[in-house]
Amino acid sequence: MLVKAKWEGLEPGGEYLFKIGDSPDTKFRTAPGQTGSGVTFVEGGDVDIAEASARMRTIGARQDPLFVSGGGDLAYGDGHDIQREIAFWKQWHATACAPDGRRIPLVAGIGNHEVKGGYVQEGATFEQMKARAPFFYALFGGLYEKAEPVALDFGNYLSLQLLDSGHVLPIPCQTDWLRKNLEQRRSVPWVFASWYVSTYPSFRKWKEQKEIPLTRQEWVPVLERSGVTAVFTHHEHNLQRVESEGKAGRRIPFLGNGAMGVEARPQNCAESKALTRAFAESDYVNVVQLREDGATIRSLG
């Protein structure tokens, strides 16, 4: 049974109780209006339903985050495996609990394993592609209502730009949206972009699939001219931090590449190695801590 509810009029920085049917009272917290003493969120992707997946989510939950940003390839259900989807959410329910017992929300992005066929089908409409990702849109369709990416804003201090690396939306149709939304948020101190397919691959080759060079061509120049803080990418199944080449402006940190439970892979891409600031053949979660005077991003594995 899928239960949907919509709450209105919630106050920033508040704690609320809810229950579904005869379930116990469950607590959640809304985002504060300002950073105040600090805001923490956890980021990762390529999760799966393995024992390692549960361990990584437990590590993330122990950091007491406001939310988890899951960059794609969550249950690996491929749009049809209902048993994997159910197993994923059972594991999430058991592990996504903060130290004080409250539930930790998930801000989900889409990857190829959310979609039947993995990627945009030539000539398909948005509605047709949504139908190829039935579990994702059943759960997160309220956020992804339009045929465009999502800008999720927290007060005036944090914004997440959630893009689609060619799974339901073609990559080029999102470039103008990204440019406009980054420009509108120049006064926001912390702006992060997130998408699934890695722009700077580690396990795969530099141009192994078309989505890899296309995000470099379409989105990196826009980002390098903007005030974006950093970018989260996934798909490669290891921990890699690189800086973009800075051809259009400043160098941007790319923090990836998606290993929140899947078996880790080696670093094979020579071009990305030249840009690498850190690498580990390891599962990890990114822990983002925002303060008035700065930010710290730790990768825990």
Side-chain angles (χ1 to χ4, degrees):
M1 179 178 63
L2 177 64
V3 177
K4 292 185 179 182
K6 182 179 180 180
W7 290 289
E8 295 179 341
L10 303 183
E11 294 294 324
E15 288 196 349
Y16 295 86
L17 295 175
F18 73 97
K19 64 186 303 176
I20 299 171
D22 296 328
S23 70
D25 286 346
T26 304
K27 179 169 61 174
F28 71 93
R29 181 183 298 166
T30 56
Q34 300 178 354
T35 46
S37 59
V39 171
T40 297
F41 69 91
V42 164
E43 191 281 334
D46 299 274
V47 187
D48 211 343
I49 54 174
E51 288 185 16
S53 310
R55 289 198 298 270
M56 295 312 303
R57 276 185 285 199
T58 300
I59 289 173
R62 287 174 180 164
Q63 311 311 307
D64 197 23
L66 180 66
F67 63 91
V68 173
S69 176
D73 277 17
L74 304 176
Y76 285 79
D78 294 313
H80 65 82
D81 192 336
I82 187 66
Q83 297 305 318
R84 291 191 71 89
E85 293 289 330
I86 291 172
F88 176 87
W89 290 108
K90 284 183 176 179
Q91 194 182 78
W92 178 269
H93 183 76
T95 55
C97 218
D100 66 355
R102 75 181 191 282
R103 307 306 307 177
I104 301 172
L106 173 63
V107 176
I110 194 166
N112 57 288
H113 282 291
E114 272 73 53
V115 184
K116 295 175 183 176
Y119 298 91
V120 172
Q121 304 294 301
E122 186 174 353
T125 66
F126 177 54
E127 292 301 322
Q128 288 170 334
M129 287 309 304
K130 282 173 58 178
R132 298 179 72 90
F135 306 136
F136 185 85
Y137 280 93
L139 292 163
F140 305 110
L143 184 62
Y144 294 92
E145 292 182 312
K146 301 178 181 178
E148 63 182 27
V150 168
L152 191 59
D153 298 317
F154 298 77
N156 61 1
Y157 58 87
L158 169 63
S159 182
L160 301 180
Q161 310 293 297
L162 306 173
L163 291 101
D164 177 333
S165 51
H167 311 290
V168 169
L169 300 175
I171 289 169
C173 78
Q174 302 171 69
T175 305
D176 285 344
W177 180 96
L178 179 62
R179 183 181 297 108
K180 178 186 72 175
N181 277 270
L182 290 174
E183 181 63 31
Q184 290 173 348
R185 288 161 179 80
R186 281 197 173 271
S187 63
V188 178
W190 309 116
V191 180
F192 295 89
S194 179
W195 60 83
Y196 183 67
V197 172
S198 179
T199 299
Y200 298 96
S202 42
F203 178 73
R204 291 173 176 83
K205 300 293 191 296
W206 189 245
K207 297 181 180 180
E208 185 163 325
Q209 62 180 85
K210 65 181 181 180
E211 291 79 14
I212 294 172
L214 198 52
T215 59
R216 289 198 297 269
Q217 172 188 321
E218 290 284 332
W219 296 344
V220 170
V222 175
L223 293 161
E224 290 185 338
R225 296 186 190 105
S226 78
V228 71
T229 306
V231 180
F232 299 115
T233 58
H234 313 86
H235 193 42
E236 298 294 289
H237 300 189
N238 48 40
L239 189 164
Q240 178 183 266
R241 291 186 173 196
V242 305
E243 285 188 346
S244 68
E245 297 165 283
K247 293 179 179 179
R250 64 192 185 94
R251 295 175 181 268
I252 305 297
F254 277 70
L255 311 176
N257 269 335
M260 201 176 170
V262 293
E263 185 174 349
R265 296 167 172 167
Q267 188 183 39
N268 295 328
C269 181
E271 293 89 345
S272 293
K273 281 184 180 180
L275 303 170
T276 296
R277 298 296 183 178
F279 176 81
E281 190 175 330
S282 172
D283 284 325
Y284 72 94
V285 290
N286 287 314
V287 182
V288 183
Q289 295 172 299
L290 308 177
R291 307 178 304 277
E292 294 286 350
D293 63 343
T296 302
I297 304 176
R298 297 176 296 144
S299 297
L300 303 183

